[in-house]
Amino acid sequence: MEKLKVHSGHKLFGSIDICSSKNALLPILAGSVLCDGEVTLLNIPNFSDIDKMCAILRSLGAGVVRFGNTISINAKIIDKTVVSYELGKDIRASIIFLGAILSKFKTCKIGQPGGCMIGSRPIDLHIKGLRALGAKIIEEHGYLFCDGKDMKASTFTFEKQSVGATENLMLASILLKGNTILHNCAKEPEVVDLANFLNSMGANVCGAGTNTITIYGVEKLHSTTYQAIGDRIVAGTYLVATAITGGNVEICNINPKHLGYVLKKLAFCGCNIIAKNDRILLSAEKRCKSLKSITTGVFPKFPTDMQSAFLTLMAVSKGSCVIQEKLFDGRFKQVPELVKMGAKIDVFCNMAKVVGVERLSGADVSATDLRAGAGLVLAGLNADGYTTIDNIHFIDRGYDHIERDLSLLGAEIERIS
Ligand code: EPZ
């Protein structure tokens, strides 16, 4: 079983190119089902979640070829409409195939999705929205049996903002005759990137990034070559790593507007930040000051996926902070591991009270999910002595060899078996 071994004592310096965004690429891979030609995706990182989505595409009959960091997909030859539980159970994004398959084939059988164990992850908003478009959906034996023959363009309002449900309904509407109007949509940059990808194939999606998205149905989608946006959570993770070690780093291939709230919080902690159109420079001369409070929310509020990194940052900053996690009820799972390293954190319900300490102490810890695992790596960059982290397959879901990136910036970290 591979582990990561981290030693503190090194400020991070240098420049790094951020890979394409996992949470943009996963729905884009699902959306490639709709294409009548060939989809070529550039600058693809080695995330295990991407491999899993490609395996689902192949199981549908699509041709999927990866050479280097390019993936080429031929969806024209898809001849199946079943997404097996086996292939979909480990990732949340498998459910996004539902909208695309229904839009193109009008029928789909799909297993309940999986994903990081960060709390309950219902799909009621996906189902309600697809039923509003006329899909007939029966849930039994852990599968959704879906009939889309009577689907038609409609107007639907989400009762709460959901990234995945917004993406699923966008995909489900692309090939429907007429105009579908979706209200109270998620506004995350990854939703906008999916719309841009679809429009690059000749779709007609307007308003992505705002509350209301209108999809004008088209007959078919043509080939495209596309590069997704930079991964804002990977970028944010490395910015926090720089803040924790007191370094000076340039993060390239990232749109600072995708991290607006996070950059503001880092500036309040005492970091010097320069944001340019496709890069962010951060330097931290001294130990960060704690924020009074952090509350997660939907974009453009503080992203829940950055909460674990900031939990670690607050654990080693000067002062105390109250962190409120409002999206997922299981996103403080790394607290016991951080406490083992000497952190002072108390959790009650969806709140964590953090009193910063100057130095944690290295220990053997275990990752419990993707972002919590990355938070433990960040803790190791501060802790005295060595920290080893196991269950790093969680981290590999959304970081392409995090040890390689951090070593490039001067950290002492290696993958050991
Ligand atoms: C996406 O998950 C991301 N995953 C998550 O990133 C991210 O944390 C989340 O959006 C929020 O930004 C991908 O894009 C693959 P939601 P998603 O639907 O779509 C509730 C990571 O670490 N909800 O926006 O599943 C839900 O419980 C991952 O990269 C329902 O109640 O998130 C949550 O409280 C983790 N019913 C809120 O909505 C539903 O049908 C937002 O969830 C769907 C969601």
Side-chain angles (χ1 to χ4, degrees):
M1 198 62 153
E2 289 186 319
K3 296 183 180 184
L4 289 175
K5 189 175 178 187
V6 194
H7 194 274
S8 61
H10 304 271
K11 293 175 187 278
L12 300 191
F13 286 101
S15 174
I16 189 164
D17 262 327
I18 292 299
C19 59
S20 294
S21 160
K22 169 178 86 79
N23 291 348
L25 281 169
L26 299 183
I28 283 171
L29 286 164
S32 63
V33 164
L34 293 167
C35 184
D36 251 8
E38 185 168 359
V39 170
T40 303
L41 300 174
L42 307 175
N43 191 29
I44 302 292
N46 292 302
F47 293 157
S48 55
D49 275 13
I50 287 175
D51 300 336
K52 291 187 178 114
M53 292 293 274
C54 289
I56 293 173
L57 279 168
R58 291 191 182 96
S59 73
L60 297 170
V64 182
V65 176
R66 173 158 193 167
F67 35 95
N69 62 0
T70 299
I71 287 182
S72 177
I73 300 157
N74 176 1
K76 213 174 159 70
I77 57 175
I78 286 179
D79 56 0
K80 298 179 192 69
T81 58
V82 176
V83 177
S84 73
Y85 170 71
E86 199 46 45
L87 286 178
K89 67 179 170 51
D90 295 331
I91 47 175
R92 171 77 178 172
S94 57
I95 193 67
I96 312 284
F97 276 105
L98 177 53
I101 296 171
L102 276 181
S103 191
K104 192 165 182 183
F105 300 101
K106 307 299 177 217
T107 179
C108 180
K109 175 187 171 189
I110 185 167
Q112 290 278 351
C116 276
M117 306 304 280
I118 52 177
S120 61
R121 307 201 68 183
I123 55 171
D124 58 311
L125 298 176
H126 297 245
I127 293 170
K128 271 182 203 148
L130 291 169
R131 282 179 171 150
L133 296 183
K136 294 187 182 61
I137 300 176
I138 297 169
E139 300 174 71
E140 59 184 12
H141 310 301
Y143 274 87
L144 303 179
F145 297 84
C146 310
D147 172 357
K149 277 194 302 301
D150 301 331
M151 285 174 74
K152 56 185 186 313
S154 320
T155 295
F156 176 74
T157 301
F158 290 101
E159 59 198 68
K160 72 192 279 193
Q161 290 183 4
S162 156
V163 172
T166 300
E167 292 165 342
N168 228 340
L169 262 72
M170 197 196 294
L171 293 174
S173 312
I174 295 294
L175 302 178
L176 289 183
K177 249 203 284 311
N179 307 336
T180 297
I181 303 173
L182 305 175
H183 294 293
N184 197 24
C185 295
K187 295 181 272 198
E188 273 68 4
E190 294 77 20
V191 172
V192 177
D193 210 30
L194 175 63
N196 292 339
F197 164 72
L198 293 165
N199 289 342
S200 78
M201 295 191 287
N204 193 344
V205 181
C206 303
T210 72
N211 271 311
T212 299
I213 298 177
T214 303
I215 301 101
Y216 302 89
V218 295
E219 297 271 309
K220 57 193 271 187
L221 299 184
H222 56 68
S223 299
T224 187
T225 296
Y226 195 79
Q227 178 164 328
I229 54 174
D231 193 307
R232 61 191 171 111
I233 308 303
V234 171
T237 304
Y238 296 164
L239 288 169
V240 170
T242 308
I244 285 175
T245 58
N248 186 336
V249 166
E250 179 187 51
I251 305 276
C252 304
N253 184 37
I254 188 68
N255 180 342
K257 293 197 185 79
H258 296 167
L259 277 171
Y261 218 94
V262 170
L263 297 181
K264 219 163 45 184
K265 290 289 186 183
L266 286 169
F268 286 153
C269 290
C271 297
N272 309 308
I273 292 168
I274 300 170
K276 299 185 176 173
N277 64 341
D278 65 348
R279 64 197 59 215
I280 300 166
L281 292 93
L282 182 143
S283 63
E285 270 87 42
K286 49 188 187 304
R287 184 182 169 200
C288 285
K289 291 191 307 284
S290 274
L291 299 159
K292 285 274 157 294
S293 66
I294 297 171
T295 303
T296 64
V298 295
F299 194 84
K301 290 187 182 148
F302 188 90
T304 175
D305 293 346
M306 282 302 303
Q307 185 261 96
S308 302
F310 268 72
L311 181 63
T312 296
L313 176 62
M314 293 298 103
V316 297
S317 295
K318 205 159 43 177
S320 63
C321 175
V322 174
I323 298 178
Q324 191 174 9
E325 171 54 62
K326 297 193 83 171
L327 271 80
F328 295 108
D329 50 15
R331 223 168 189 173
F332 287 130
K333 285 214 184 98
Q334 83 271 31
V335 166
E337 301 299 276
L338 288 173
V339 168
K340 200 158 100 177
M341 296 175 73
K344 292 188 173 25
I345 306 172
D346 291 305
V347 174
F348 34 95
C349 300
N350 67 339
M351 310 263 272
K353 180 153 177 5
V354 192
V355 178
V357 297
E358 185 140 7
R359 179 80 61 220
L360 297 170
S361 61
D364 297 336
V365 292
S366 296
T368 52
D369 61 73
L370 163 55
R371 305 303 173 189
L376 293 174
V377 172
L378 297 178
L381 295 176
N382 165 280
D384 259 343
Y386 284 99
T387 299
T388 57
I389 298 138
D390 64 16
N391 292 343
I392 59 174
H393 61 279
F394 285 120
I395 302 174
D396 291 339
R397 297 186 53 175
Y399 295 85
D400 185 353
H401 289 89
I402 193 170
E403 75 281 1
R404 188 183 52 204
D405 285 348
L406 291 174
S407 302
L408 190 76
L409 295 173
E412 187 182 339
I413 177 172
E414 59 178 333
R415 186 176 288 248
I416 56 174
S417 35

